[in-house]
């Protein structure tokens, strides 16, 4: 099989739609930060972190679906893709309802831990869990089929709708409850739109002869990877809400939202790299040139983003959140650099997953577990909090580099 060098073309498509999604996503946070104020915005940040942790299986599902769709596409087995899609859609709907019910039952205890006066916002943002469990199925098939235009359009539309709906609900006086509800409303609309480009697959005759055991085996390993990254990406916001004052937690949440752009940039590269790497590996083609190209683009993007955060932190924070978040400017540069380390780690992890090499999981989970006690023990101020994260992410990247040196590319 001959693979065209279309990485830059497809990457540009994803970059364009991701830019729209990121801009509107950060406008959502900027708007909410200004309208809600540091205390309620800190609460919203912790709720979003809880949503991310509760939906850890979601990201894993998308990668699993994309992986097996890519393999089936390489073998031209479209009927099996249809069966994979429909079966996954049904199961994920059930799982989403179960997780939502569990979160709803635990909402009073969660509200107490986070010092939130009402558990209603937890229930409202929890509604989106059901939709969050379903949408990765269609997004995974789109990614596996390399329908990057449809994939990117619908991903960016999620953020556009969230901003529009959230701003409308908050302006109607719903406050934090309106912001939380916007997540469910936007996800529900996008789910319908992601299924439309798959009509060609749905017209195929279903072939139910799918190697289900291998899918489950792969899923559990990918799940552990996602659990590691999701904990690292979200536990800081939750612990900041627990360890510091409401205002300090709001300042940290604002800085984290901006700094984590560095990590989310890796998603642009991975969206294109992963299905191509899986298909190339299935065809027994060399995948290492694709990794080198991915790393090059990643480093260039990170250099631009981190340089901006280090050179003009006050300007960046004031543009997005206003003058009320001045403390955020003092930590954004170091935090963005730490997230840059994690972004490169993310590229390495996905590359190894595409080759079905999963030994790095132990490294990732060890650092994810160690970060929690380290933050409790050594972070009495926001500055110390960020330094712990910085050295943790640098250590993780160094260990991943050693893993690559040992296993080879």
């Amino acid at each position: 099989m001959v693979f065209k060098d279309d990485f830059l073309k497809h990457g540009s498509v994803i970059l364009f739609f991701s830019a729209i999604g990121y801009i509107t996503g950060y406008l959502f946070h900027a708007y909410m930060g200004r309208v809600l104020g540091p205390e309620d915005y800190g609460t919203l940040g912790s709720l979003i972190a809880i949503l991310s942790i509760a939906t850890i299986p979601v990201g894993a599902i998308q990668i699993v679906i994309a992986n097996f769709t890519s393999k089936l596409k390489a073998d031209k087995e479209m009927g099996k893709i249809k069966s994979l899609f429909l079966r996954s859609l049904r199961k994920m709907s059930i799982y989403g309802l179960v997780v939502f019910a569990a979160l709803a039952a635990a909402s009073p205890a969660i509200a107490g831990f986070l010092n939130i006066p009402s558990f209603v916002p937890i229930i409202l943002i929890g509604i989106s869990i059901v939709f969050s469990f379903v949408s990765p199925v269609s997004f995974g098939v789109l990614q596996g089929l390399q329908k990057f235009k449809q994939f990117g359009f619908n991903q960016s539309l999620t953020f556009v709708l969230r901003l529009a709906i959230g701003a409308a609900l908050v302006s109607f006086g719903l406050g934090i409850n309106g912001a939380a509800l916007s997540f469910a409303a936007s996800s529900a609309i996008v789910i319908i739109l992601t299924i439309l480009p798959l009509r060609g697959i749905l017209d195929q005759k279903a072939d139910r002869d799918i190697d289900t055991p291998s899918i489950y085996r792969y899923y559990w390993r990918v799940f552990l990877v996602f659990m590691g990254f999701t904990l690292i990406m979200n536990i800081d916001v939750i612990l900041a809400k627990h360890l510091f004052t409401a205002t300090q937690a709001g300042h940290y949440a604002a800085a984290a939202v901006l700094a984590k752009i560095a990590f989310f940039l890796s998603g642009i590269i991975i969206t294109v790299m992963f299905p191509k790497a899986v298909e190339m590996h299935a065809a027994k083609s060399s995948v290492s040139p694709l990794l080198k190209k991915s790393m090059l683009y990643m480093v260039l993007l990170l250099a631009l983003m981190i340089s901006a955060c280090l050179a003009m932190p006050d300007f960046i924070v004031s543009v997005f959140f206003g003058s009320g978040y001045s403390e955020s400017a003092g930590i954004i540069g170091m935090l963005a650099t730490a997230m840059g380390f994690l972004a490169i780690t993310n590229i390495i992890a996905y590359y190894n997953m595409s080759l079905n090499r999963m030994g790095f999981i132990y490294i990732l989970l060890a650092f994810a577990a160690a970060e929690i006690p380290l933050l409790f023990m050594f972070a009495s101020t926001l500055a110390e909090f960020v330094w712990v994260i910085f050295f943790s992410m640098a250590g993780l990247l160094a260990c991943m580099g050693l893993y690559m040196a040992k296993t080879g590319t």
Side-chain angles (χ1 to χ4, degrees):
M1 182 180 296
V2 178
F3 293 89
K4 297 185 294 181
D5 186 14
D6 51 9
F7 188 96
L8 185 59
K9 172 186 173 183
H10 290 156
S12 299
V13 170
I14 295 299
L15 177 61
F16 171 75
F17 285 116
S18 294
I20 295 174
Y22 290 150
I23 290 170
T24 51
Y26 284 95
L27 285 175
F28 172 88
H29 283 279
Y31 177 82
M32 294 303 168
R34 289 171 180 267
V35 174
L36 297 178
E39 292 189 12
D40 278 348
Y41 181 71
T43 297
L44 179 62
S46 62
L47 292 177
I48 295 172
I50 289 173
L51 177 64
S52 298
I53 292 173
T55 55
I56 288 175
V58 166
I61 285 294
Q62 181 172 320
I63 291 303
V64 172
I65 297 293
N67 180 289
F68 284 90
T69 298
S70 296
K71 291 178 180 177
L72 294 172
K73 173 178 174 285
D75 295 334
K76 304 187 185 303
E77 296 183 295
M78 299 303 177
K80 290 185 178 181
I81 295 178
K82 177 181 179 179
S83 294
L84 177 65
F85 172 68
L86 295 177
R87 187 184 302 177
S88 301
L89 206 62
R90 182 176 63 253
K91 289 186 177 181
M92 292 307 295
S93 298
I94 297 172
Y95 297 154
L97 288 169
V98 171
V99 174
F100 167 66
L103 181 67
S107 59
I110 295 172
F113 179 80
L114 296 176
N115 303 313
I116 301 173
S118 171
F119 61 83
V120 173
I122 300 173
I123 299 291
L124 292 177
I125 204 167
I127 295 173
S128 65
I129 287 177
V130 180
F131 302 115
S132 296
F133 267 68
V134 173
S135 62
V137 177
S138 50
F139 274 115
V141 174
L142 288 174
Q143 185 181 4
L145 294 174
Q146 299 186 35
K147 291 181 176 289
F148 294 118
K149 290 181 181 178
Q150 296 89 333
F151 180 95
F153 171 78
N154 284 293
Q155 271 206 333
S156 64
L157 184 62
T158 304
F159 295 99
V160 173
L161 291 173
R162 185 180 300 164
L163 172 62
I165 295 170
L169 293 176
V170 171
S171 68
F172 292 153
L174 293 179
I176 186 71
N177 292 332
L181 189 57
S182 66
F183 284 78
S186 57
S187 297
I189 295 170
V190 169
I191 284 173
I192 298 172
L193 297 178
T194 55
I195 295 175
L196 296 179
L198 301 177
R199 286 173 294 181
I201 294 295
L202 296 176
D203 289 339
Q204 300 288 325
K205 182 179 179 180
D207 183 351
R208 293 179 171 81
D209 185 21
I210 300 175
D211 186 5
T212 303
S214 66
I215 294 177
Y216 280 112
R217 285 194 300 271
Y218 187 75
Y219 167 78
W220 285 113
R221 288 179 288 179
V222 174
F223 171 79
L224 291 175
V225 174
F226 264 82
M227 183 172 67
F229 277 113
T230 305
L231 286 174
I232 290 172
M233 283 290 292
N234 293 280
I235 200 64
D236 59 331
V237 177
I238 295 174
L239 291 181
K241 187 71 173 69
H242 179 70
L243 293 171
F244 302 113
T245 67
T247 301
Q248 286 178 313
H251 283 231
Y252 180 80
V257 163
L258 295 172
K260 288 175 183 178
I261 295 175
F263 177 80
F264 293 127
L265 286 173
S266 65
I268 298 171
I269 306 298
I270 289 168
T271 297
V272 178
M273 180 195 76
F274 185 76
K276 292 183 181 295
V278 171
E279 192 173 355
M280 291 170 71
H281 184 60
K284 303 190 186 317
S285 298
S286 175
V287 190
S288 58
L290 184 62
L291 173 64
K292 295 175 182 177
K293 190 177 298 185
S294 300
M295 283 293 191
L296 174 62
Y297 293 139
M298 185 74 265
V299 170
L300 290 174
L301 289 173
L302 288 174
L304 291 173
M305 191 269 168
I306 295 173
S307 296
C309 288
L310 291 172
M312 44 186 179
D314 294 286
F315 174 75
I316 292 173
V317 171
S318 64
V319 166
F320 280 93
F321 292 99
S323 58
Y325 290 83
S326 57
E327 193 173 352
S328 304
I331 59 176
I332 185 177
M334 190 63 65
L335 195 56
T337 306
M339 292 302 103
F341 295 152
L342 190 61
I344 297 173
T345 299
N346 202 26
I347 295 284
I348 296 173
Y350 271 85
Y351 174 77
N352 281 280
M353 284 195 289
S354 72
L355 304 182
N356 206 28
R357 293 194 316 215
M358 300 300 217
F360 70 91
I361 291 176
Y362 302 105
I363 300 172
L364 179 64
L365 293 179
F367 274 86
E371 185 179 24
I372 298 173
L374 288 173
L375 288 171
F376 269 108
M377 289 187 294
F378 299 109
S380 58
T381 67
L382 282 182
E384 292 173 351
F385 197 82
V386 172
W387 275 110
V388 170
I389 294 172
F390 177 87
F391 284 114
S392 296
M393 297 306 97
L396 173 58
L397 177 58
C399 289
M400 290 292 281
L402 292 174
Y403 174 81
M404 288 292 287
K406 181 180 179 180
T407 58
T409 58

